[in-house]
């Protein structure tokens, strides 16, 4: 009888440990060769938002990170592309952003916690539409950050078909993108 209770306690303990650690990162990839080629749903959504690598002008540095997070059956995906330029190219590329994207206004009536926010030296704006007229904000959406200090542009795309984002986007970026800005 005592052995039976010990086994039950052990099973409960294992279940608790799994539950506590159930929110895990399945997959982190920072190999630029895998850019928008993850084999997951985010590739299809992000391709209209994220820049084509072949279309980028000469840059000083580029970094990429794809993250697949899961909690039991719920999954979310995020992709980050950060491109660092020289001063002149940075200004030129930054000015092109408003031609290619329509950013959500500061006083928006959409269900969004904040259309603009900052993380370290990056100032981010949430994209309302891409240049093709596709609405971007919802359970999948893009954000663009610029850093005057680093002369970098950060493109972020988030996809989670199970949640509505209702908490600060700074928290979402830190928690789901796992990128050190």
């Amino acid at each position: 009888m005592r052995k039976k209770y010990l086994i039950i306690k052990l099973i409960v303990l294992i279940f608790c440990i799994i539950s506590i650690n159930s929110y895990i990162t399945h997959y982190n990839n920072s190999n630029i060769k895998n850019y928008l080629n993850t084999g997951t749903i985010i590739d299809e959504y992000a391709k209209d938002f994220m820049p084509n690598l072949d279309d980028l002008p000469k840059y000083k540095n580029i970094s990429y990170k794809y993250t697949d997070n899961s909690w039991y059956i719920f999954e979310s995906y995020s992709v980050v592309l950060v491109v660092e330029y020289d001063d002149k190219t940075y200004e030129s590329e930054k000015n092109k952003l408003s031609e290619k994207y329509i950013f959500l206004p500061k006083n928006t009536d959409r269900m969004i916690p904040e259309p603009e926010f900052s993380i370290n030296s990056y100032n981010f704006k949430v994209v309302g539409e891409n240049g093709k007229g596709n609405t971007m904000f919802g359970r999948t959406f893009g954000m663009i950050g610029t850093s005057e200090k680093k002369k970098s542009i950060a493109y972020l795309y988030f996809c989670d078909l199970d949640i509505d984002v209702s908490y600060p986007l700074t928290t979402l970026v830190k928690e789901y993108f796992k990128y050190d800005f």
Side-chain angles (χ1 to χ4, degrees):
M1 185 87 156
R2 193 164 200 215
K3 189 175 186 180
K4 183 178 180 181
Y5 285 118
L6 183 60
I7 291 173
I8 291 172
K9 285 181 181 181
L10 184 60
I11 291 171
V12 169
L13 179 64
I14 291 171
F15 178 77
C16 290
I17 290 171
I18 290 171
S19 294
I20 290 170
N21 292 317
S22 64
Y23 184 78
I24 60 170
T25 300
H26 271 279
Y27 185 70
N28 263 325
N29 190 324
S30 56
N31 184 344
I32 196 75
K33 292 178 184 176
N34 295 327
Y35 177 69
L36 298 182
N37 192 24
T38 64
T40 64
I41 193 169
I42 196 168
D43 297 336
E44 186 64 30
Y45 285 107
K47 72 179 180 180
D48 288 337
F49 173 77
M50 301 296 284
N52 184 329
L53 297 180
D54 295 333
D55 295 340
L56 293 174
K58 185 178 178 185
Y59 50 82
K60 291 171 83 176
N61 193 19
I62 192 166
S63 61
Y64 157 76
K65 186 167 190 178
Y66 161 76
T67 306
D68 172 354
N69 295 293
S70 73
W71 189 74
Y72 292 110
I73 62 169
F74 304 107
E75 290 196 295
S76 66
Y77 309 92
S78 62
V79 62
V80 178
L81 183 72
V82 179
V83 187
E84 180 185 355
Y85 298 104
D86 62 45
D87 291 350
K88 185 178 178 182
T89 308
Y90 169 74
E91 288 301 322
S92 173
E93 290 301 299
K94 185 177 80 167
N95 291 334
K96 290 179 186 176
L97 293 174
S98 61
E99 296 170 12
K100 186 172 181 183
Y101 302 99
I102 298 171
F103 296 100
L104 291 178
K106 286 184 182 181
N107 296 324
T108 184
D109 60 350
R110 295 188 184 209
M111 297 298 290
I112 179 173
E114 56 202 336
E116 295 182 13
F117 60 97
S118 296
I119 299 175
N120 297 326
S121 68
Y122 284 87
N123 295 312
F124 289 93
K125 293 181 179 181
V126 176
V127 174
E129 293 180 13
N130 63 11
K132 299 175 184 176
N134 297 329
T135 301
M136 300 299 291
F137 188 76
R139 293 180 177 180
T140 65
F141 63 98
M143 301 167 273
I144 297 178
T146 56
S147 172
E148 298 296 323
K149 180 180 177 182
K150 295 182 178 184
K151 304 298 182 208
S152 296
I153 299 175
Y155 301 88
L156 286 71
Y157 199 82
F158 179 74
C159 177
D160 187 327
L161 302 178
D162 298 313
I163 69 167
D164 291 317
V165 177
S166 60
Y167 49 89
L169 292 179
T170 53
T171 303
L172 179 127
V173 169
K174 289 175 183 175
E175 186 174 320
Y176 287 89
F177 287 81
K178 300 184 188 333
Y179 188 87
D180 185 19
F181 289 98

